[in-house]
Amino acid sequence: MTAPRDTAPRKVLGRLSLPERRYVAEALRTETVGGVLLLAAAIAALIWANVPALHDSYESVAHHHFGPEALGLNLSVAHWAADGLLAVFFFVAGIELKRELVAGDLREPRAAALPVVAALCGMAAPALVYVLTNAAGDGSLKGWAVPTATDIAFALAVLAVIGTSLPSALRAFLLTLAVVDDLFAILIIAVFFTGDIDFAALGGALAGLVVFWLLLRTGVRGWYVYVPLAVVIWGLMYNSGIHATIAGVAMGLMLRCTPREGEEHSPGEQIEHLVRPLSAGLAVPLFALFSAGVSVSGGALREVFTRPETLGVVLGLVVGKTVGIFGGTWLTARFTRASLSEDLEWADVFAVATLAGIGFTVSLLIGELAFEDDATLTGEVKAAVLVGSLIAATLATVLLKIRNSKYRRLYEAEERDDDLDGIPDIYEQDDPAYHLRMAAIHERKAAEHRRIAEEKATARRAEVTGGASAENDRPA
């Protein structure tokens, strides 16, 4: 006899497990704070670069070189931010990806299908929109990868600013999309934006990674061991001709992200907890400060909508991302016979897909790599990234605000903890102990209400009796 198959219908964007919900909540909390700092840094960069009295100082600081020239590391401040600080960002992305693959939603093929397909479609569609726009307008195809990336920190900052209580399932969907998105962005950078390779430096970097892996596997501890080694690996990777951020991803993927017996958290989770604030609060905002300082004059903004390269970026972020992610999600649900969670509607998925059109950090980085030989076009493409992200954020704000009252009810239901045990009640509906605790709580409340009712009734009888006696004592 064959075992009966699980015929229960699968839900798209259903409720998260409690451990996954806690992880997502902590990760998004840090990313939201980082996103607000990212917004502040981008605004500061635009002001610094566009105020005539400050423009020269911005250029002077951004292009100031420092570092050991003998090691090939005499870089500009902007270059250090893009290749150095973003390695920290991609290190965290590597840990996130490893955790998703071994302990998160991506470890199960059925659950992983939705975010992976949605992310792939959400990268292919913007690239296609860019290519078609530039093919029709006789533009350069070099920037096809610019609109493919989603910036999770920027997207969450928008949510924080507009005050939308997005349900945890949609927030987790957005986070997982961004993780998969980052993975393929890393592959794009490694494959398409690698120049001449210095095999000696690359061999040294690979040897350093092997040492890093062996130290982890033998249980060696201490930041004073790993940080210097990581810097050496990064420097060798940079000099090899492969983008240095690849070193960060590789080291993040090597960390163990499953706890062993006696461990409350895995080493990967502990290190991510320590490094994520550095990434979100310092590395990414500083990169934004020295990458987002582009001209926003009327002429430059007109160029965004008239030049095929920049128009392709805007349409890729606003149209391509939305159509790709929504279409990929719908097709996955359609062909796997899954149904959308009863609490959500397809309009909610469309709104989140629109929000994913906010591409900032990685889009700016790819824009610099794609057009590094044309400073003017690099600046215009950066302006297009900012304009496209702003349009996507505005559209998402409108769509999410329409549904915000329903989101608030769902969010409050997810957070409700009447028995005050630290676990939301929706996760305890099948636990008899929860219902016994709730019964005891209700019995105490009922006893209190009975006591109050008896006191009120006694007081009312006393008033009636006292009133009648006073009336009888009055003279006729």
Side-chain angles (χ1 to χ4, degrees), residues 316-341:
L317 288 171
V318 177
V319 178
K321 272 288 183 184
T322 304
V323 172
I325 291 174
F326 179 82
T329 305
W330 186 86
L331 288 172
T332 303
R334 174 70 177 81
F335 287 104
T336 59
R337 296 182 179 179
S339 59
L340 192 66
S341 173

Side-chain angles (χ1 to χ4, degrees), residues 65-76 80 83 231-232 234-239 244:
H65 281 66
F66 68 96
E69 190 169 356
L71 299 178
L73 296 174
N74 184 243
L75 311 177
S76 68
W80 276 110
D83 281 34
V231 171
V232 171
W234 175 87
L236 289 169
M237 189 69 75
Y238 175 84
N239 281 289

